[in-house]
Each structure stands twice: as structure tokens, then as C-alpha cells.
Amino acid sequence: MTRLVVATGNAHKVREIRAILGKRFECLALNDFPDAPETVEDADTFAGNATKKAVELARWLATRATPDLRSSALLVLADDSAPEVDALEGAPGVHSARFAAGNAGSPAAHSTDADNNAKLLRLLVEVPWEKRTARFRCVLALTPVLTNTHTVSSPVCYAEECELETELFEGVCDGRIGFAPRGQGGFGYDPLFIPEGHEKSFAELGADVKNKISHRARALARLRERLRQ
């Protein structure tokens, strides 16, 4: 069984990743490590944020992992994902979590889902259906927890070695932004995003459908295939 530590405190995201990967993978979450440091997501790309989260958590785990965790290969999985709206030149993008706060929001601060969705709808209020094209993009970073004593003792060396061994997996799901939130499922921007080929939002389609077609499902499929190799 492959053991992963998912670098997020978002319970919805962890549950979704577990459901998509299946029983062959044991997925631990940040909630299992209450003292783990919080990474400030201040990179200007999804890959940059995902890599930073994975590397920082991997280094912390290398110095604090229990003998049980050290007994098997341990990997950190970090995710950065968001909708990119064509009419907004790719926004919310990497700023999706603090989208409602705008420039006043620090990289460590998050706005509520409701506030983020409301702002997105306000910005698109004059945009017709045919121009509301968007895509959900997900980039996953997979980083091994290295336990070499010399490497762990040097933060710079550890970060450099971890980044060299980090693998990235990307998934994209095209669609459009609806005119109002629809559905009670999902999280984040799911009530607004209607994937291509469907008439319902991610929040209406339910987990069984979303977990087969979503951006995260596509990125995880690539990751799963890589680990099988």
C-alpha cells in the first residue's frame, strides 16, 4: 500500500482524493499532524504553490515522523487548483482562495466560498453564456520524505533535493461559469462550474460523477499510473 500525506486541511479535498485513489492508497491528512507548519501560498503558478507545500511538509515530516511512518516509503501529495475564467483573463486562478478579498488579502488569508462565488458572479454579470468559458485546473506535486541525516539537517540542501525529486501531475476540466450557484454538493466554486458536456454544475452532479471527470480526477489518474510503474 502506498502511503501519502495530503498537504491540506481541507476535509472536502482529502475526502475527494481518498475516493478517487481508492483503497490501494493510505491517505493521511494535515489533521493527523496538528503541529505541522502552514505553508503560505504566495507563488504565481499552481505548480509553484503545490511544490512549495509538498517540499515544506516533507522536510517537517522527515524530522518528526514516527518509527511507524519511517518503516515504509512516505510521500507528500500537495494540490493547487482553481477555476480560470477566460472573460477575466484567467482569474481567479492562483488567487482563488482569497479572491473576494482582492489585493487586500494576504496570501495566508482565505475568503469564504460564498464570498468568492458572489464576487465571481458580480464580475461576470454582463457576460453572456457563450463567453463564460472557463476551466478548472489542478496541479499535484508528489514529493518523497527523505530521511538522510545530513540532508535533513540543512534546510537549503533538503529543499533543493526535494524539489529535484518532486513530480508534477496536471489535470484540466473545461466548462462554463453558470449564472447562479446550483446544487448542495462539492465545495469551493463547484456550484458555479458546469463542466463541458453536462447541464448540471459540479455541485449538482454529485461525487460519483465529479470524481470521474474533474480536473483533480484527471491529475490523480496520471499520478496513480506513475506510481503503478
Side-chain angles (χ1 to χ4, degrees):
M1 179 178 289
T2 302
R3 181 173 283 183
L4 302 172
V5 179
V6 184
T8 181
N10 186 323
H12 297 287
K13 190 176 290 188
V14 173
R15 186 160 54 246
E16 191 170 284
I17 289 172
R18 283 175 174 154
I20 294 170
L21 286 178
K23 295 182 179 180
R24 183 183 163 221
F25 297 82
E26 180 185 1
C27 295
L28 304 173
L30 279 185
N31 291 340
D32 297 306
F33 306 93
D35 297 327
E38 183 175 354
T39 299
V40 176
E41 299 178 42
D42 55 2
D44 57 5
T45 64
F46 294 117
N49 280 328
T51 299
K52 184 179 181 183
K53 287 189 286 188
V55 168
E56 289 188 3
L57 182 56
R59 181 175 187 275
W60 184 85
L61 286 168
T63 61
R64 292 165 176 81
T66 63
D68 175 58
L69 286 176
R70 290 173 183 268
S71 67
S72 60
L74 186 63
L75 300 165
V76 173
L77 175 63
D79 157 296
D80 197 31
S81 54
E84 300 170 327
V85 181
D86 293 327
L88 302 179
E89 299 181 344
V94 294
H95 305 296
S96 63
R98 57 187 186 277
F99 187 52
N103 294 332
S106 74
H110 287 190
S111 304
T112 67
D113 290 346
D115 286 345
N116 286 332
N117 286 333
K119 179 177 180 178
L120 183 54
L121 288 176
R122 285 198 305 272
L123 293 176
L124 295 175
V125 68
E126 301 292 338
V127 179
W129 175 251
E130 63 272 13
K131 294 185 178 180
R132 299 172 78 93
T133 52
R135 70 211 44 82
F136 248 122
R137 188 180 305 277
C138 171
V139 176
L140 302 173
L142 186 69
T143 300
V145 176
L146 307 173
T147 55
N148 178 282
T149 304
H150 173 71
T151 302
V152 172
S153 65
S154 170
V156 174
C157 290
Y158 191 91
E160 289 178 349
E161 186 167 348
C162 265
E163 285 193 35
L164 287 174
E165 296 201 31
T166 295
E167 296 183 70
L168 298 175
F169 307 87
E170 184 170 335
V172 175
C173 181
D174 291 313
R176 281 182 166 80
I177 302 300
F179 292 100
R182 287 165 37 188
Q184 301 300 315
F187 58 97
Y189 294 87
D190 285 358
L192 295 182
F193 186 78
I194 302 172
E196 198 171 76
H198 294 266
E199 296 181 355
K200 295 181 178 180
S201 71
F202 268 165
E204 292 176 300
L205 287 171
D208 288 344
V209 176
K210 182 190 174 187
N211 290 347
K212 291 182 175 69
I213 66 172
S214 76
H215 50 305
R216 187 168 295 110
R218 292 172 182 180
L220 285 168
R222 292 186 172 96
L223 178 148
R224 188 170 54 234
E225 183 60 30
R226 170 66 182 87
L227 291 179
R228 281 175 180 166
Q229 295 171 5

